[in-house]
Amino acid sequence: MDLPIQTFRITRADLVRYAGASGDFNPIHWSDRSATNVGLPGVIAHGMFTMALVGRAVTTWAGAPDAVVDYNVRFTRPVVVPDDSAGTEIVVTAVVREVTEDGLRLDITATCLGEKVLSQARATVRATG
């Protein structure tokens, strides 16, 4: 069973807000010059911010944040965020891999511009209601 697609827009302003909240002011998250000097294609979103957005999708599917029993990802590709008002998007999909008496095991896919940005993304959510 496929779960509803969720899309999250990320702009440079979001990266600034996340940096302030997390304390991660690494210049690869705000300076094109710093990002390209270390071999990146441009400014990238914080990995934990990407993971948090995908986690938001999981909590929406689960119906409540406390219904998420387990959540794991591996980062495979950076999310490049252009310096414009549109930013970029992460598209999150999931399929139910297994139904147990305790809940659902989900296989999650997160893409940006058609490329997977996470691998081995999985969650277990407790049955609600």
Side-chain angles (χ1 to χ4, degrees):
M1 167 174 63
D2 293 346
L3 297 171
I5 294 171
Q6 296 187 56
T7 303
F8 299 93
R9 179 155 304 281
I10 302 173
T11 66
R12 294 271 178 106
D14 295 319
L15 301 184
V16 170
R17 285 189 285 276
Y18 185 81
S22 69
D24 182 352
F25 294 99
N26 187 322
I28 64 171
H29 302 303
W30 55 268
S31 166
D32 282 304
R33 184 181 62 220
S34 293
T36 56
N37 280 345
V38 297
L40 295 167
V43 165
I44 63 169
H46 304 74
M48 296 307 289
F49 181 52
T50 302
M51 185 177 179
L53 291 174
V54 175
R56 184 184 301 170
V58 174
T59 62
T60 298
W61 291 319
D66 64 347
V68 178
V69 176
D70 188 46
Y71 172 52
N72 294 287
V73 306
R74 289 198 181 183
F75 303 103
T76 55
R77 186 172 309 249
V79 175
V80 179
V81 182
D83 188 13
D84 60 22
S85 59
T88 195
E89 287 184 339
I90 295 177
V91 178
V92 185
T93 60
V95 296
V96 176
R97 178 171 49 113
E98 183 179 6
V99 178
T100 69
E101 63 184 43
D102 297 324
L104 307 173
R105 291 196 181 116
L106 309 178
D107 284 340
I108 304 161
T109 302
T111 60
C112 181
L113 302 175
E115 298 283 337
K116 285 177 87 171
V117 297
L118 301 176
S119 68
Q120 299 180 21
R122 297 184 178 99
T124 303
V125 298
R126 187 172 37 251
T128 58

